[in-house]
Amino acid sequence: MAETQDSTTVKKPDRKRRLSWREPWAGNPWPAIIEGTVGSFLMFAGSIGMGWIAPASPMLRHPLVIFLRTDGQGIAASTLALSLGAMILIRSWIRLGQRLGGWGTGSLKAVVWAISLWALPLFFAVPIFSRDIYAYTGQGRLVAEGLDPYTQGISSLSNWFQLGADKAWAENRTPYGPYFLWLARAVVGITGAQPDYSVLLFRVVALIGVVLCVVYVPKLAAQHGINPGRALWLAVANPLFIISFVASAHNDVLMIGLAVAAFYFASVGKHKTALLLITASIGVKIITVIFLPFLALMWAGKGAGWLRKVMFWAISGLGSLAILVVSGIPYHLGMGWLFALTDPTPGYTGYAPSGFLGQQLEMIFNALGLPGGDIATGFRTLLKVGSMVIAALLILRGKHEHLVRRAGLAMASIVLLSPIIQPWYILWFVPLLAATGIRNDWQVKSLYIVVTFFVVFGAQDQLSVYSFVQLGVPVSSIAFFVALGMTVYLAFLDVHTRKALFGGRRNDGNWGVI
């Protein structure tokens, strides 16, 4: 099922001829892989001084940890290592793509090696760029103690603040489905809610999602005539994916891994398996319900009339709902997860298009003596409604062979027009777009920019620094200028990586067509 909209003819490599990594025209991927591993180890080292450690963790009593978190030199060194390591990882990712520009069959193996080696140090790192993983422990404790996580926040627990979760979320109800809460309860049952062991076990859970993506992104890409190695490089080897889903261990990776697997099984005609997988994904986090209508259309088949489409939408929707209703019986969870549809997080992020443009409208109309705040809120609401309209149009219109890409674009519209965009939300749709083709023009350059932006943002925004520590220069400023300097170097000075952003388009990577 070839899916390419690019008029440029791409010469197909001979599948019978296996590339050797030593062929000079193909390039040797190992310098980039080793460089990225060094960057990952630097991030591991920096995390000890700058990462999020739970107050109950015995790590805080270790002399090295005390030095790195209370001494000015230790804090500066940790900040430098974390920021520099993240930027080295970005360079390595870009260089790996350049070195594998021929995208022969050996490239997939190289990308898998890169993902494995880059992820390994971060698996053992102190949580960085986010401390949501500690909230997972609290939610597991709620279930284990017979409390309802859909009506009570983790502040209901005794000594909840020792778990390490962000106090901003202490009163919030969990937005996660029953399957993730089952997993969270199992983790707490094994670790006794000890924060450090819980972090490692939640990372094991996250690795299930990573492995699903590593296995099924290439398979789904091959179904669409897209080079599997290049798709995996774009979707999983990128630093934002590895940092967000290994170091931070966001449960979104399990959600998206199950969804990608669902689309693969649907593409090979195993629709009942696909329905079970997407239901499991929804049962982790409900946002992937947007994929259900597309999978139903794949089940209905090419050329299906409207009656058949409606029938399969009904079968898929009611079947998934029935499974989730039954899944709410254990631990008396019920259907409380549905509140996630009607209980959105308030506010906005300034870098989201909705948030940024809303801010500008608010300032302009306030200056004119008009209610700028109300107008900005109305504007953001209009964009949210617009995203739903776009998603609906993508469900109702388009070629059958483009269903997976339409699903990715529908999720992209929901994410990009939302007033709140967390960095890892971008990864909800990138795997599907990578598996159906990201051209080697403005499309891949946009991905470079977005990934770099969010890594730089996390490197200077999510730093754990004691309030009593007095420094001459804020650590966020150190991290920002290191990241900014490296970004300028990569974009304008590095003879290799600057070509990725400003170089001309090459035939070997338009869509990564097989």
Side-chain angles (χ1 to χ4, degrees), residues 324-400:
L324 289 167
V325 168
V326 173
S327 301
I329 295 175
Y331 312 123
H332 308 288
L333 295 174
M335 298 294 290
W337 51 273
L338 284 174
F339 91 86
L341 293 175
T342 58
D343 193 18
T345 303
Y348 61 88
T349 47
Y351 52 74
S354 172
F356 176 77
L357 294 175
Q359 283 179 322
Q360 309 313 307
L361 288 175
E362 184 172 0
M363 288 190 296
I364 292 171
F365 283 101
N366 281 341
L368 296 173
L370 298 171
D374 293 339
I375 293 172
T377 300
F379 171 74
R380 295 187 186 104
T381 301
L382 183 63
L383 287 187
K384 287 174 67 174
V385 173
S387 72
M388 297 175 191
V389 171
I390 292 171
L393 290 174
L394 286 164
I395 292 170
L396 298 172
R397 298 178 62 85
K399 294 181 179 180
H400 181 84

Side-chain angles (χ1 to χ4, degrees), residues 178-258:
Y179 300 140
F180 183 73
L181 292 180
W182 291 3
L183 292 170
R185 186 191 186 283
V187 167
V188 168
I190 294 171
T191 65
Q194 201 282 336
D196 301 325
Y197 294 140
S198 297
V199 164
L200 288 177
L201 207 50
F202 275 117
R203 282 187 175 144
V204 171
V205 172
L207 280 182
I208 297 172
V210 174
V211 170
L212 285 170
C213 289
V214 169
V215 171
Y216 289 108
V217 165
K219 287 178 178 290
L220 187 61
Q223 286 292 316
H224 289 79
I226 301 301
N227 185 277
R230 187 172 186 271
L232 189 64
W233 166 68
L234 290 169
V236 181
N238 80 69
L240 184 61
F241 187 101
I242 293 174
I243 293 170
S244 298
F245 292 156
V246 178
S248 301
H250 287 290
N251 60 4
D252 305 57
V253 69
L254 184 58
M255 170 194 79
I256 201 63
L258 289 165

Side-chain angles (χ1 to χ4, degrees), residues 122-451:
L122 294 179
F123 181 87
F124 296 100
V126 174
I128 54 175
F129 290 25
S130 170
R131 47 178 159 163
D132 284 3
I133 195 169
Y134 293 118
Y136 301 162
T137 303
Q139 288 152 5
R141 272 190 61 190
L142 284 171
V143 178
E145 295 184 17
L147 301 174
D148 185 358
Y150 296 127
T151 60
Q152 295 174 281
I154 59 174
S155 61
S156 304
L157 300 167
S158 59
N159 295 324
W160 64 271
F161 50 90
Q162 293 292 324
L163 298 174
D166 191 337
K167 296 179 177 63
W169 309 111
E171 304 292 337
N172 288 62
R173 301 178 290 174
T174 179
Y176 309 129
Y179 300 140
F180 183 73
L181 292 180
W182 291 3
L183 292 170
R185 186 191 186 283
V187 167
V188 168
I190 294 171
T191 65
Q194 201 282 336
D196 301 325
Y197 294 140
S198 297
V199 164
L200 288 177
L201 207 50
F202 275 117
R203 282 187 175 144
V204 171
V205 172
L207 280 182
I208 297 172
V210 174
V211 170
L212 285 170
C213 289
V214 169
V215 171
Y216 289 108
V217 165
K219 287 178 178 290
L220 187 61
Q223 286 292 316
H224 289 79
I226 301 301
N227 185 277
R230 187 172 186 271
L232 189 64
W233 166 68
L234 290 169
V236 181
N238 80 69
L240 184 61
F241 187 101
I242 293 174
I243 293 170
S244 298
F245 292 156
V246 178
S248 301
H250 287 290
N251 60 4
D252 305 57
V253 69
L254 184 58
M255 170 194 79
I256 201 63
L258 289 165
V260 170
F263 276 108
Y264 168 72
F265 280 101
S267 72
V268 295
K270 297 183 179 180
H271 299 290
K272 293 178 182 178
T273 301
L275 179 62
L276 292 175
L277 287 166
I278 197 62
T279 300
S281 176
I282 295 167
V284 172
K285 205 167 185 179
I286 199 171
I287 187 64
T288 48
V289 73
I290 190 65
F291 293 148
L292 191 56
F294 295 97
L295 288 162
L297 290 173
M298 295 176 76
W299 195 353
K302 187 175 183 179
W306 283 107
L307 181 60
R308 182 174 174 83
K309 290 178 180 179
V310 171
M311 182 178 70
F312 277 92
W313 282 330
I315 291 172
S316 299
L318 293 174
S320 182
L321 180 61
I323 295 170
L324 289 167
V325 168
V326 173
S327 301
I329 295 175
Y331 312 123
H332 308 288
L333 295 174
M335 298 294 290
W337 51 273
L338 284 174
F339 91 86
L341 293 175
T342 58
D343 193 18
T345 303
Y348 61 88
T349 47
Y351 52 74
S354 172
F356 176 77
L357 294 175
Q359 283 179 322
Q360 309 313 307
L361 288 175
E362 184 172 0
M363 288 190 296
I364 292 171
F365 283 101
N366 281 341
L368 296 173
L370 298 171
D374 293 339
I375 293 172
T377 300
F379 171 74
R380 295 187 186 104
T381 301
L382 183 63
L383 287 187
K384 287 174 67 174
V385 173
S387 72
M388 297 175 191
V389 171
I390 292 171
L393 290 174
L394 286 164
I395 292 170
L396 298 172
R397 298 178 62 85
K399 294 181 179 180
H400 181 84
E401 56 268 27
H402 294 167
L403 274 168
V404 177
R405 188 164 191 85
R406 285 158 57 188
L409 293 173
M411 180 64 84
S413 71
I414 296 294
V415 170
L416 297 178
L417 296 181
S418 171
I420 295 179
I421 303 177
Q422 298 291 2
W424 57 94
Y425 289 5
I426 303 300
L427 304 170
W428 293 355
F429 59 84
V430 166
L432 294 184
L433 298 186
T436 54
I438 293 178
R439 292 198 305 267
N440 202 40
D441 52 15
W442 66 269
Q443 293 184 355
V444 77
K445 292 175 183 180
S446 297
L447 184 62
Y448 292 151
I449 293 169
V450 169
V451 167

Side-chain angles (χ1 to χ4, degrees), residues 9-28:
T9 301
V10 181
K11 185 178 180 180
K12 295 183 179 180
D14 184 357
R15 293 196 188 193
K16 295 181 180 179
R17 180 174 179 268
R18 185 172 184 81
L19 284 179
S20 166
W21 292 0
R22 300 193 179 191
E23 287 176 331
W25 68 272
N28 182 357

